[in-house]
Amino acid sequence: MNKPDSVRVVNSDVSNQNISSDVKLYNSIKDVPNVPSGTFNYGGGNTFAALTAQGFHEAITRSHPNFRLRFTEPRDGKSGGKKGVVMVLDSQLSFTLYGASLEDEHYNKALQRGFQIKQVPVALDMFVFFTHKNISIPGLSIDQLQDIYKGKISNWKEVGGPDLAIAPFARDPKSTNLLNELLGKEVDQLSSKVQLARDYTEIIRKVAATPGGISFGGSGPILGQKTIRPLAIAQANTKDYVQPFIDDNKQVNTTALRDGSYPMTRRMFVVYRLDDTIDQLAGEAYVNMLLTKEGQQIVEKAGLVPLR
């Protein structure tokens, strides 16, 4: 077995500075030790479905056949990062995949229930905006995108496009943080014209079928889609447009993500409980496998940017 490098990962939340763990960095998924046997529920953001599609769980099964994973949706069928964290806190999941930082309320709820909760970054991602294929414009600024979702801009001609009503779509903010990331504290100003969709499959299909359609999400599910047009975006109210993808939309623009020129990015986390149970072991094993060199190569194939 390869001797791992060791990195100390400390939670950045001031009130939880005591929460820390050793994350071991291995070369291959097979090298990861202490992988528990059993069937473990996981859930969370749809962005991570791309990992499964690119064979990450198949690779786990080949190396650790007794570590079985089962994607588990909430009872209302509306999966997402927010719902996943709640389900971890409610002991319905062993771990979840989350595209935002945990908040104080998450840590406090965990402590009230007698355990702690941890997040470990495993990848980088960007917010990719996309339109109906017939919308041909150089790009949009973050300010313009915010105004579209607040209803202040309602026609494409206002931003250099055709004389056509804008039809904004988004995933439900009760399930995911996407709209919160775009609008921040002004999320309560969301336009009544924004149509909500259950998942990326539905949202891409709706934008592709609606002439004035626009939406956004993580890079993984959108990379390589042929039925919609990825949109270049710019900081604040500038026209310094940066494309999310390169090579005919076949690769993530990793240079722009890493040098900070792409305006909207995020870290992706695995969240699990620190409760001295087999669920904690499952969460730690999944993190360690995802952070192997082998796992990070799959991260890249899934349209995310690896940390290693």
Side-chain angles (χ1 to χ4, degrees):
M1 182 172 67
N2 294 322
K3 183 178 180 180
D5 301 316
S6 179
V7 59
R8 193 75 171 172
V9 178
V10 182
N11 191 288
S12 60
D13 185 82
V14 174
S15 64
N16 291 277
Q17 289 277 336
N18 60 316
I19 301 177
S20 64
S21 69
D22 287 325
V23 174
K24 305 292 186 179
L25 300 182
Y26 298 89
N27 286 326
S28 72
I29 291 171
K30 187 176 182 179
D31 292 339
V32 175
N34 304 320
V35 178
S37 296
T39 300
F40 301 95
N41 293 347
Y42 78 99
N46 292 138
T47 294
F48 280 95
L51 287 172
T52 305
Q54 291 300 325
F56 180 55
H57 289 181
E58 290 179 7
I60 290 175
T61 299
R62 286 195 299 271
S63 297
H64 302 281
N66 294 324
F67 183 72
R68 297 176 295 274
L69 297 173
R70 183 177 66 176
F71 183 79
T72 306
E73 290 190 333
R75 291 186 179 90
D76 62 8
K78 298 178 180 179
S79 60
K82 282 185 177 181
K83 293 284 186 72
V85 172
V86 171
M87 291 174 73
V88 167
L89 289 169
D90 289 344
S91 300
Q92 295 172 5
L93 302 177
S94 298
F95 59 88
T96 191
L97 306 160
Y98 193 41
S101 297
L102 293 174
E103 300 176 1
D104 287 345
E105 64 175 290
H106 298 132
Y107 293 112
N108 292 336
K109 283 184 179 179
L111 291 173
Q112 290 169 8
R113 297 174 185 186
F115 54 85
Q116 295 177 316
I117 191 169
K118 180 160 185 64
Q119 60 179 17
V120 179
V122 293
L124 300 174
D125 189 23
M126 57 174 59
F127 291 86
V128 178
F129 291 80
F130 56 94
T131 66
H132 186 275
K133 289 195 74 172
N134 291 343
I135 302 298
S136 181
I137 56 175
L140 291 174
S141 69
I142 297 300
D143 284 6
Q144 289 172 323
L145 289 162
Q146 291 172 336
D147 284 346
I148 285 173
Y149 277 85
K150 288 187 287 186
K152 295 181 179 180
I153 296 176
S154 59
N155 194 296
W156 283 106
K157 67 181 180 181
E158 298 176 65
V159 291
D163 185 1
L164 182 67
I166 296 175
F169 295 89
R171 293 198 58 220
D172 192 335
K174 294 179 181 179
S175 301
T176 176
N177 282 293
L178 292 172
L179 282 169
N180 301 73
E181 293 288 345
L182 175 62
L183 298 178
K185 294 180 180 179
E186 296 180 332
V187 71
D188 60 342
Q189 298 180 31
L190 182 68
S191 170
S192 60
K193 294 182 179 179
V194 176
Q195 301 178 55
L196 302 180
R198 178 182 182 275
D199 54 30
Y200 281 113
T201 300
E202 181 181 0
I203 217 163
I204 290 170
R205 178 173 51 80
K206 287 189 172 184
V207 170
T210 307
I214 183 173
S215 191
F216 67 104
S219 58
I222 301 166
L223 180 67
Q225 293 286 342
K226 302 295 185 182
T227 59
I228 44 90
R229 182 190 297 274
L231 188 66
I233 62 174
Q235 295 278 3
N237 201 29
T238 72
K239 293 185 178 180
D240 300 324
Y241 304 122
V242 181
Q243 293 285 351
F245 302 140
I246 58 175
D247 189 20
D248 194 27
N249 297 329
K250 295 176 182 176
Q251 293 185 36
V252 172
N253 190 348
T254 55
T255 299
L257 189 151
R258 284 178 167 146
D259 67 17
S261 60
Y262 192 81
M264 288 191 68
T265 62
R266 61 179 175 175
R267 293 204 296 175
M268 308 299 287
F269 300 91
V270 173
V271 177
Y272 57 93
R273 295 188 307 277
L274 300 179
D275 58 1
D276 294 324
T277 69
I278 195 169
D279 285 324
Q280 178 178 338
L281 288 178
E284 290 172 342
Y286 191 83
V287 165
N288 286 331
M289 287 187 279
L290 198 52
L291 287 174
T292 63
K293 288 184 179 179
E294 181 184 358
Q296 292 284 284
Q297 288 171 355
I298 298 174
V299 162
E300 189 167 22
K301 290 179 182 178
L304 300 169
V305 176
L307 296 183
R308 292 185 68 185

